[in-house]
Structure formats: structure tokens, C-alpha cells
Amino acid sequence: MSGCEPGESVGAFLCQAGQVLRAAAIESPRLEARLLLGHAMGATPEQLLRDSRAKVPPEAVARFGAALAARLAHVPMAHILGRQGFWTLDLAVSPATLIPRPDSESLVEAALEALPDAAAPLRVLDLGTGTGCLLLAVLSERPHAFGIGVDRDPAAAALAARNARENGLADRAAFLAGDWDAALAGRFDLVLSNPPYIESAAIPGLMPEVARHEPALALDGGADGLVAYRALAKALPHLLVPGGIAVLELGQGQRGMVESLALDAGLGLLGYRKDLGGVERALILAKKPFVGPAARD
């Protein structure tokens, strides 16, 4: 590769991989090269930079080659590594679930702000739980809370249960495979959901990491992107205790339409929260009666 030293050192492999990734229009090619080589060698990116002249073992070369080929085919980095950070958690990921994104942390922030009592014995529900990221993040901050996560894909529910175990939260979390609220009885203080909200026709035009490798079940919101929100608006009044809070993730530009669905269902609007990119990402609702942003029964 042009400008790269020859040989089988860490530095040589990083330089060559960075150039290949850049040519494939992969964002942050040098960082991704370090992540891929570190994964192959069982080392952190920082360790690689400290010892750039070390020789890459033959078995790691093979693993690195396979990982690099997968990334060039636009397999998401999280799927190659098998892990993704979210909030303060380290989560296992798989093709059965959406990859947790920093944008979704705005839902966790909104929920914690709306229910600020850290000692409250909250009952939490996460509909469309995926990796369990939303539910587990809230449970990690509310040590007396208990939660249930529901996903239509049994593989996703199983992965979420694994994440609960690996993050020390299994004793306060349960996961079910089901269609929204169909298998549930009882009411909750907090309902979280990151539902499918992409318009069906828009999915093929998404970046290939998403369109080809993330589950359509978790992306496809129907012709107008609102199918799941209609189901949630119908279910939430029966799922929430009086004064209970619901926090829903929104797609860009969907706030007004989802607000209307919620208000028509008799829910109260508490506000919204923007993500770091300035998108109105978290819609905060309450079951009446409520008083203020932290309304309780």
C-alpha cells in the first residue's frame, strides 16, 4: 500500500487496512482499523498504538482478514465485534436486534428526569426491547426498579436476557417473546419503546449497514412509519398506572404525528427531548391525571 511500511507489524497492518477502508468510503477508517485488529489480537486500540512494531501472530492475521472483509461488505462494526456500548453498559448484539445507538440514550435521560426518585420501586416495561438497552440502562440507575422487556423475535428476547445477566441485572429483569402487550397483565410506572418507525419504501435507501444487516422487523414502520405508534397509542392507556410515564423514540420529523395519536388516545403530553444531533428523539407522555413533569400516582 502506498506510504505503508512493508511487513507484518501492527503498524503495517493498521496502515494498509486504513487505506483500504478509506477507499471503500468507510467513516473513521483509522479508528475502525484499530478496532478490527484489536479484536483479532485480543488487544485494545490503545495497546496497539503503544506497540506498533509488534508482529501480528499468524492466527490473528487470519481473523483480521476475515473481519476486514466483513467490514468492507458493510457488515456493521458492532456485529463484527459482537458488542456495543450503551449508557454505562456493555451489551452483546446480534443480527436479531437493532444496534443500540447514542441517540436512544435521550430516552433514558428523559425517563430518569421524569421519574427522579432513585429509591422508587418502579415497574418498567420496554416494548420492542431488542438488546434490552433501554430497560437495562434505566434499571442500572434505579436500583429498586423491576422491568419486563418484550420483543416479537424470540432470539432478541434471549439476547436481552443474556445482557441482563452479563450486566448484573438479571434478578430485576424478565424478557418475553410476544406481540407488543398481548402477553401482559398488570400496569407499569414507566413504559419505554423504540418501535419500528422507518417508512417501508425508505428502507432500501438507508445506509447498507442498516438496510442489509439490521432486522427489518425492527425497522419497518409500514407505509407511513406510524403502524407501531398506532398500536402503542391504543395500548398505553391500559398499560400505565394513573400518572405513569411513557417515553417513545421518534424518527426525524415524526413528533407532531405521534403527538396527535397519543392525544387522541387520551394521553397527556409532557414534552420531548432532543438527541445530540438536535433531532426531537424522545416523546414524553403521561396517563392522566398527572401534575408536572414527574407526576406520580
Side-chain angles (χ1 to χ4, degrees):
M1 291 287 175
S2 175
C4 296
E5 65 182 50
E8 297 181 344
S9 68
V10 166
F13 275 103
L14 288 179
C15 180
Q16 293 164 17
Q19 290 191 5
V20 170
L21 290 166
R22 184 178 296 107
I26 300 292
E27 292 186 10
S28 306
R30 289 188 296 178
L31 172 60
E32 294 214 1
R34 292 196 296 272
L35 290 171
L36 292 170
L37 186 57
H39 176 65
M41 294 181 65
T44 66
E46 293 75 21
Q47 289 171 328
L48 297 182
L49 292 176
R50 285 199 299 267
D51 197 8
S52 64
R53 296 189 177 278
K55 184 177 179 180
V56 179
E59 63 275 14
V61 172
R63 289 194 295 267
F64 180 58
L68 180 59
R71 190 66 189 101
L72 291 171
H74 295 283
V75 175
M77 178 65 76
H79 286 176
I80 296 170
L81 303 181
R83 315 292 304 180
Q84 178 70 21
F86 182 84
W87 200 249
T88 60
L89 309 173
D90 180 43
L91 301 174
V93 299
S94 83
T97 67
L98 289 182
I99 297 167
R101 290 166 168 77
D103 293 345
S104 297
E105 293 184 356
S106 59
L107 277 74
V108 179
E109 294 168 349
L112 297 176
E113 184 177 298
L115 297 166
D117 184 359
L122 299 174
R123 293 159 292 176
V124 185
L125 174 64
D126 182 9
L127 291 173
T129 193
T131 60
C133 62
L134 296 177
L135 174 60
L136 298 176
V138 169
L139 294 184
S140 74
E141 300 287 347
R142 295 291 181 263
H144 300 285
F146 174 84
I148 295 174
V150 180
D151 201 284
R152 286 182 286 178
D153 187 341
L159 184 71
R162 171 188 166 186
N163 281 325
R165 292 192 300 271
E166 291 182 352
N167 284 277
L169 297 166
D171 59 335
R172 294 192 288 118
F175 296 92
L176 309 171
D179 189 11
W180 296 117
D181 62 326
L184 298 173
R187 297 191 176 189
F188 298 85
D189 303 287
L190 172 65
V191 176
L192 301 161
S193 186
N194 177 10
Y197 55 69
I198 307 297
E199 295 177 6
S200 301
I203 291 176
L206 299 174
M207 59 190 299
E209 284 84 349
V210 178
R212 298 179 195 168
H213 298 286
E214 296 204 67
L217 194 65
L219 294 170
D220 194 338
D224 62 358
L226 299 176
V227 170
Y229 293 116
R230 292 188 183 95
L232 287 168
K234 182 179 178 182
L236 286 173
H238 307 289
L239 291 171
L240 291 167
V241 299
I245 304 296
V247 184
L248 309 181
E249 179 156 334
L250 301 171
Q252 190 164 5
Q254 290 182 321
R255 175 189 165 196
M257 295 178 289
V258 180
E259 274 186 14
S260 294
L261 291 171
L263 294 174
D264 288 346
L267 296 165
L269 176 64
L270 295 188
Y272 65 93
R273 193 179 190 95
K274 294 182 178 180
D275 63 23
L276 293 176
V279 174
E280 295 171 344
R281 187 65 65 186
L283 184 67
I284 309 156
L285 306 167
K287 181 175 178 178
K288 300 174 183 179
F290 61 90
V291 181
R296 299 295 298 155
D297 188 6

